Amino acid sequence: MAHRDFSLTGVERHLGQDDIIVSKTDTAGRITYANSVFLEISGYTEEELLGKAHNIVRHPQMPRCVFKYLWDTIRAGDEVFAYVLNRAKEGDHYWVFAHVTPTRGADGRIVSYHSSRRAPNRAAVDAVTPLYRTLLAEEAKYRTPQEQWQAGLAMFVKWLDEKKMPYEELVFALSGGAA
């Protein structure tokens, strides 16, 4: 397998207001479909993405616990919305407002996942960034990825409990109700 360069450029890419990134994954999170907008903003070719884990675009400044929450939610059969910081192939970054849903087969079991991502409201990105930094700082205290997401998730759940707000409301409240 080729070495993946994790360097960051500090350059932010932006989706157009009408752009929608679409991807589909199997139940293990491997990409089975990527639309042209995804290819363009991520800098990957279709060949580089298909069959790869969706975390190929995971930015190191994105808390693991947010992805744990996302995966737990969709595996339970529910949809989820989230603000996500992604990393392009060359090290640029881009924010998205993600909507991820499970796809069910004729028997009702989950067979895949569908994600649509669009340009986020900048006020929401500015509001979620300090929370993500706090979660990352907590995760950084631990050695293994599992310990990291567990600690971050505990902090995140406590924060939500203190706000008396489920995650779904938080996503919309951070931006004043606008995605």
Side-chain angles (χ1 to χ4, degrees), residues 155-174:
M155 176 180 267
F156 188 42
V157 168
K158 181 180 178 197
W159 188 85
L160 289 170
D161 287 347
E162 289 171 358
K163 300 282 184 201
K164 297 183 181 4
M165 181 181 301
Y167 178 75
E168 294 74 23
E169 286 182 32
L170 167 71
V171 168
F172 292 103
L174 284 173

mmCIF file of all heavy atoms in Angstrom, residues 155-174:
data_model
loop_
_atom_site.group_PDB
_atom_site.id
_atom_site.type_symbol
_atom_site.label_atom_id
_atom_site.label_comp_id
_atom_site.label_asym_id
_atom_site.label_seq_id
_atom_site.Cartn_x
_atom_site.Cartn_y
_atom_site.Cartn_z
ATOM 1 N N MET A 155 -16.933 13.352 27.447
ATOM 2 C CA MET A 155 -16.954 14.814 27.606
ATOM 3 C C MET A 155 -18.078 15.429 26.771
ATOM 4 O O MET A 155 -18.786 16.330 27.230
ATOM 5 C CB MET A 155 -15.611 15.407 27.188
ATOM 6 C CG MET A 155 -15.590 16.929 27.241
ATOM 7 S SD MET A 155 -13.997 17.595 26.732
ATOM 8 C CE MET A 155 -13.229 17.714 28.335
ATOM 9 N N PHE A 156 -18.242 14.936 25.556
ATOM 10 C CA PHE A 156 -19.264 15.451 24.646
ATOM 11 C C PHE A 156 -20.664 15.212 25.203
ATOM 12 O O PHE A 156 -21.501 16.122 25.240
ATOM 13 C CB PHE A 156 -19.091 14.765 23.291
ATOM 14 C CG PHE A 156 -19.941 15.315 22.192
ATOM 15 C CD1 PHE A 156 -20.132 16.671 22.027
ATOM 16 C CD2 PHE A 156 -20.524 14.459 21.272
ATOM 17 C CE1 PHE A 156 -20.904 17.170 20.980
ATOM 18 C CE2 PHE A 156 -21.301 14.942 20.231
ATOM 19 C CZ PHE A 156 -21.483 16.305 20.094
ATOM 20 N N VAL A 157 -20.926 13.998 25.694
ATOM 21 C CA VAL A 157 -22.238 13.674 26.271
ATOM 22 C C VAL A 157 -22.498 14.535 27.506
ATOM 23 O O VAL A 157 -23.612 15.043 27.690
ATOM 24 C CB VAL A 157 -22.334 12.165 26.589
ATOM 25 C CG1 VAL A 157 -23.543 11.847 27.436
ATOM 26 C CG2 VAL A 157 -22.341 11.355 25.294
ATOM 27 N N LYS A 158 -21.483 14.712 28.338
ATOM 28 C CA LYS A 158 -21.637 15.558 29.530
ATOM 29 C C LYS A 158 -21.970 16.991 29.118
ATOM 30 O O LYS A 158 -22.841 17.633 29.702
ATOM 31 C CB LYS A 158 -20.356 15.518 30.364
ATOM 32 C CG LYS A 158 -20.440 16.337 31.631
ATOM 33 C CD LYS A 158 -19.160 16.267 32.434
ATOM 34 C CE LYS A 158 -19.313 17.159 33.657
ATOM 35 N NZ LYS A 158 -18.041 17.470 34.258
ATOM 36 N N TRP A 159 -21.274 17.490 28.102
ATOM 37 C CA TRP A 159 -21.514 18.849 27.620
ATOM 38 C C TRP A 159 -22.953 18.989 27.119
ATOM 39 O O TRP A 159 -23.631 19.972 27.432
ATOM 40 C CB TRP A 159 -20.500 19.162 26.516
ATOM 41 C CG TRP A 159 -20.492 20.582 26.047
ATOM 42 C CD1 TRP A 159 -19.813 21.629 26.587
ATOM 43 C CD2 TRP A 159 -21.194 21.113 24.920
ATOM 44 N NE1 TRP A 159 -20.045 22.776 25.865
ATOM 45 C CE2 TRP A 159 -20.895 22.488 24.837
ATOM 46 C CE3 TRP A 159 -22.048 20.564 23.971
ATOM 47 C CZ2 TRP A 159 -21.422 23.312 23.859
ATOM 48 C CZ3 TRP A 159 -22.573 21.382 22.984
ATOM 49 C CH2 TRP A 159 -22.256 22.741 22.938
ATOM 50 N N LEU A 160 -23.429 17.993 26.351
ATOM 51 C CA LEU A 160 -24.803 18.022 25.858
ATOM 52 C C LEU A 160 -25.804 17.963 27.006
ATOM 53 O O LEU A 160 -26.818 18.678 27.003
ATOM 54 C CB LEU A 160 -25.055 16.859 24.886
ATOM 55 C CG LEU A 160 -24.371 16.955 23.529
ATOM 56 C CD1 LEU A 160 -24.503 15.637 22.778
ATOM 57 C CD2 LEU A 160 -24.927 18.110 22.711
ATOM 58 N N ASP A 161 -25.522 17.117 28.011
ATOM 59 C CA ASP A 161 -26.405 17.016 29.181
ATOM 60 C C ASP A 161 -26.496 18.350 29.914
ATOM 61 O O ASP A 161 -27.571 18.758 30.339
ATOM 62 C CB ASP A 161 -25.919 15.929 30.143
ATOM 63 C CG ASP A 161 -26.165 14.524 29.625
ATOM 64 O OD1 ASP A 161 -26.935 14.361 28.641
ATOM 65 O OD2 ASP A 161 -25.574 13.582 30.201
ATOM 66 N N GLU A 162 -25.343 19.019 30.055
ATOM 67 C CA GLU A 162 -25.332 20.323 30.725
ATOM 68 C C GLU A 162 -26.144 21.352 29.948
ATOM 69 O O GLU A 162 -26.773 22.230 30.538
ATOM 70 C CB GLU A 162 -23.896 20.811 30.915
ATOM 71 C CG GLU A 162 -23.133 20.029 31.957
ATOM 72 C CD GLU A 162 -21.653 20.363 31.997
ATOM 73 O OE1 GLU A 162 -21.170 21.192 31.176
ATOM 74 O OE2 GLU A 162 -20.958 19.780 32.855
ATOM 75 N N LYS A 163 -26.117 21.246 28.629
ATOM 76 C CA LYS A 163 -26.887 22.165 27.786
ATOM 77 C C LYS A 163 -28.357 21.750 27.701
ATOM 78 O O LYS A 163 -29.171 22.484 27.138
ATOM 79 C CB LYS A 163 -26.303 22.207 26.364
ATOM 80 C CG LYS A 163 -24.877 22.665 26.284
ATOM 81 C CD LYS A 163 -24.780 24.148 26.416
ATOM 82 C CE LYS A 163 -23.339 24.597 26.226
ATOM 83 N NZ LYS A 163 -23.089 25.886 26.800
ATOM 84 N N LYS A 164 -28.654 20.531 28.208
ATOM 85 C CA LYS A 164 -30.005 19.962 28.135
ATOM 86 C C LYS A 164 -30.490 19.955 26.684
ATOM 87 O O LYS A 164 -31.594 20.404 26.375
ATOM 88 C CB LYS A 164 -30.973 20.714 29.042
ATOM 89 C CG LYS A 164 -30.618 20.624 30.512
ATOM 90 C CD LYS A 164 -31.629 21.323 31.361
ATOM 91 C CE LYS A 164 -31.376 21.324 32.835
ATOM 92 N NZ LYS A 164 -30.237 20.798 33.417
ATOM 93 N N MET A 165 -29.603 19.447 25.825
ATOM 94 C CA MET A 165 -29.869 19.511 24.397
ATOM 95 C C MET A 165 -29.386 18.246 23.710
ATOM 96 O O MET A 165 -28.226 17.879 23.855
ATOM 97 C CB MET A 165 -29.123 20.725 23.826
ATOM 98 C CG MET A 165 -29.309 20.962 22.355
ATOM 99 S SD MET A 165 -28.351 22.403 21.791
ATOM 100 C CE MET A 165 -29.004 23.707 22.797
ATOM 101 N N PRO A 166 -30.258 17.569 22.966
ATOM 102 C CA PRO A 166 -29.753 16.439 22.169
ATOM 103 C C PRO A 166 -28.856 16.953 21.049
ATOM 104 O O PRO A 166 -28.935 18.111 20.637
ATOM 105 C CB PRO A 166 -31.013 15.785 21.614
ATOM 106 C CG PRO A 166 -32.125 16.725 21.852
ATOM 107 C CD PRO A 166 -31.677 17.744 22.852
ATOM 108 N N TYR A 167 -28.003 16.081 20.550
ATOM 109 C CA TYR A 167 -27.033 16.468 19.535
ATOM 110 C C TYR A 167 -27.697 17.109 18.320
ATOM 111 O O TYR A 167 -27.204 18.094 17.783
ATOM 112 C CB TYR A 167 -26.207 15.255 19.108
ATOM 113 C CG TYR A 167 -25.212 15.584 18.025
ATOM 114 C CD1 TYR A 167 -24.056 16.286 18.316
ATOM 115 C CD2 TYR A 167 -25.452 15.222 16.710
ATOM 116 C CE1 TYR A 167 -23.149 16.612 17.325
ATOM 117 C CE2 TYR A 167 -24.541 15.543 15.713
ATOM 118 C CZ TYR A 167 -23.404 16.243 16.027
ATOM 119 O OH TYR A 167 -22.517 16.569 15.049
ATOM 120 N N GLU A 168 -28.810 16.554 17.875
ATOM 121 C CA GLU A 168 -29.480 17.068 16.681
ATOM 122 C C GLU A 168 -29.865 18.533 16.856
ATOM 123 O O GLU A 168 -29.741 19.333 15.938
ATOM 124 C CB GLU A 168 -30.721 16.239 16.350
ATOM 125 C CG GLU A 168 -30.417 14.819 15.950
ATOM 126 C CD GLU A 168 -29.994 13.920 17.120
ATOM 127 O OE1 GLU A 168 -30.331 14.215 18.297
ATOM 128 O OE2 GLU A 168 -29.302 12.927 16.865
ATOM 129 N N GLU A 169 -30.343 18.899 18.058
ATOM 130 C CA GLU A 169 -30.688 20.298 18.314
ATOM 131 C C GLU A 169 -29.439 21.168 18.345
ATOM 132 O O GLU A 169 -29.450 22.297 17.887
ATOM 133 C CB GLU A 169 -31.455 20.427 19.634
ATOM 134 C CG GLU A 169 -32.880 19.942 19.549
ATOM 135 C CD GLU A 169 -33.614 20.124 20.861
ATOM 136 O OE1 GLU A 169 -33.309 21.093 21.609
ATOM 137 O OE2 GLU A 169 -34.489 19.305 21.151
ATOM 138 N N LEU A 170 -28.358 20.624 18.906
ATOM 139 C CA LEU A 170 -27.105 21.367 18.957
ATOM 140 C C LEU A 170 -26.648 21.772 17.564
ATOM 141 O O LEU A 170 -26.260 22.907 17.335
ATOM 142 C CB LEU A 170 -26.015 20.527 19.631
ATOM 143 C CG LEU A 170 -24.585 21.071 19.463
ATOM 144 C CD1 LEU A 170 -24.400 22.334 20.295
ATOM 145 C CD2 LEU A 170 -23.573 20.019 19.839
ATOM 146 N N VAL A 171 -26.701 20.828 16.637
ATOM 147 C CA VAL A 171 -26.238 21.090 15.274
ATOM 148 C C VAL A 171 -26.936 22.314 14.691
ATOM 149 O O VAL A 171 -26.305 23.180 14.092
ATOM 150 C CB VAL A 171 -26.447 19.849 14.385
ATOM 151 C CG1 VAL A 171 -26.264 20.178 12.918
ATOM 152 C CG2 VAL A 171 -25.491 18.740 14.791
ATOM 153 N N PHE A 172 -28.240 22.395 14.912
ATOM 154 C CA PHE A 172 -28.972 23.519 14.358
ATOM 155 C C PHE A 172 -28.863 24.775 15.228
ATOM 156 O O PHE A 172 -28.801 25.879 14.717
ATOM 157 C CB PHE A 172 -30.430 23.131 14.122
ATOM 158 C CG PHE A 172 -30.568 22.115 13.028
ATOM 159 C CD1 PHE A 172 -30.798 20.777 13.332
ATOM 160 C CD2 PHE A 172 -30.424 22.469 11.716
ATOM 161 C CE1 PHE A 172 -30.898 19.822 12.330
ATOM 162 C CE2 PHE A 172 -30.520 21.516 10.692
ATOM 163 C CZ PHE A 172 -30.749 20.206 11.024
ATOM 164 N N ALA A 173 -28.775 24.599 16.547
ATOM 165 C CA ALA A 173 -28.684 25.751 17.439
ATOM 166 C C ALA A 173 -27.364 26.505 17.262
ATOM 167 O O ALA A 173 -27.332 27.721 17.395
ATOM 168 C CB ALA A 173 -28.832 25.291 18.885
ATOM 169 N N LEU A 174 -26.289 25.791 16.972
ATOM 170 C CA LEU A 174 -24.989 26.438 16.802
ATOM 171 C C LEU A 174 -25.012 27.499 15.705
ATOM 172 O O LEU A 174 -24.263 28.459 15.750
ATOM 173 C CB LEU A 174 -23.900 25.419 16.500
ATOM 174 C CG LEU A 174 -23.419 24.600 17.683
ATOM 175 C CD1 LEU A 174 -22.465 23.514 17.228
ATOM 176 C CD2 LEU A 174 -22.752 25.486 18.720
#
